Structures are given as C-alpha cells and as structure tokens.
Amino acid sequence: MSSLIYVLNGPNLNLLGKREPAIYGHETLADVEVDCRRLAEELGFDLRFLQSNAESQIIDWIHEAREKAAGIVINAAAFTHTSVAILDALKACEMPIVEVHISNIHKREPFRHHSYVSAVANGVIAGLGTQGYQFAIQHIARLTKAARH
Ligand code: CA2
C-alpha cells in the first residue's frame, strides 16, 4: 500500500504570508510545506506538496494521486466554490480526501459557503489557519494505518 500523501493547493495560495495576513496569517506556503514535510516524515509518509493557479494542472495532479497516493489533502482555494471538474477528478479517487481551508469559509461571503470538494471529502477543516494541514495529514495517516491492519 502507498505511503505517499499529496497536498494540493489552488490559485493564489502562492501569495500566502505576503498579503492579507488578517485573513490568512503570516506563514508562507513554503513554511506550510516545511511543517507538513516534518510531520509526514514523523508519521512515516512521503509527501508531494504542490500549488498551481491552473485548474487543469490540479486535475492532472489528482489523476496522478489516484495512481500513486494513500490520500489527498486539498485546499482548492477559489476552485472549491466553482469547479465541477475538480469534483469529478476527486470522485475517481478511492482514497481518503481531506479538504482544508485556512480561513473559516462559512464566516465569510456567501459565495464561499458552498464547496464542490466537500461532496467527496472524508472531512473538512476550515478556520484553523495553516494548522489545518497538519490535522489533515494526521487523519490520512491514521486512516491509512488502520486500513493496513
Ligand atoms: O481559506 C482558504 O484556505 C481558502 O481556500 C483560500 C482561498 C479562498 O478563495 C477560499 O474561499 C478560502 C483564497 C486563496 C488566496 O490566498 C491568498 C493568500 C494571501 C493573499 C492573497 C490570497
């Protein structure tokens, strides 16, 4: 069984820590990656940590994860609220999927309240800041290890 976790990040998350700190905090995406790598290593998992502003690239990575990964952590950013194509790609993945949002999308504008990703996610973490990625990795590790025994 695979011990690889994909962490996928959608559009504009490359700006994390560089603008809008009141909403998204001061950590950069590179900082988040360091924390995720450290945790994955502690838990005995390899990590692919990826970000793209292009919907097609994210879909291609989901297809790749479908073949190679034990689970997917996804912050699809604005595509969360718009992309049936990302939903369809995730539907084809038979593995744990955890949706992460740094901010609490339900406390924000109404257009952020609906998520296509939630329809296929095992769990949704929103509003816990970048720590949400850590909880998501822990959950996938736990589910994967339970499935092995
Ligand atoms: O809270 C989240 O993690 C979001 O997925 C972030 C998306 C937003 O569209 C979702 O509704 C909620 C936006 C990511 C853009 O990130 C930026 C970070 C710093 C400065 C500007 C944008």
Side-chain angles (χ1 to χ4, degrees):
M1 187 182 268
S2 167
S3 58
L4 178 61
I5 296 174
Y6 271 60
V7 181
L8 300 178
N9 293 284
N12 298 309
L13 283 165
N14 53 311
L15 299 177
L16 202 64
K18 297 171 185 165
R19 286 187 44 207
E20 302 201 59
I23 301 175
Y24 299 113
H26 290 280
E27 261 200 312
T28 66
L29 200 61
D31 296 331
V32 178
E33 178 173 357
V34 167
D35 293 344
C36 287
R37 283 200 184 285
R38 190 179 301 129
L39 176 64
E41 196 179 326
E42 273 171 31
L43 296 170
F45 284 78
D46 295 321
L47 200 80
R48 282 209 79 193
F49 190 99
L50 301 160
Q51 188 275 332
S52 179
N53 296 325
E55 190 175 17
S56 64
Q57 176 64 83
I58 293 168
I59 292 165
D60 287 345
W61 284 332
I62 294 169
H63 293 172
E64 199 180 287
R66 181 175 170 272
E67 303 289 331
K68 298 183 182 168
I72 299 173
V73 176
I74 182 161
N75 183 351
F79 292 149
T80 304
H81 317 298
T82 62
S83 181
V84 177
I86 287 177
L87 167 63
D88 287 344
L90 290 169
K91 269 187 180 165
C93 298
E94 289 175 18
M95 62 187 65
I97 296 167
V98 181
E99 176 181 0
V100 172
H101 298 286
I102 298 163
S103 64
N104 180 358
I105 53 175
H106 301 290
K107 208 176 165 186
R108 301 182 64 191
E109 305 95 319
F111 64 83
R112 295 186 202 274
H113 295 180
H114 177 262
S115 162
Y116 284 101
V117 175
S118 296
V120 285
N122 291 60
V124 182
I125 300 166
L128 302 189
T130 54
Q131 210 189 356
Y133 287 83
Q134 309 283 302
F135 292 130
I137 289 170
Q138 270 167 355
H139 190 65
I140 286 176
R142 189 174 309 136
L143 290 178
T144 306
K145 285 176 181 169
R148 282 179 189 152
H149 293 113

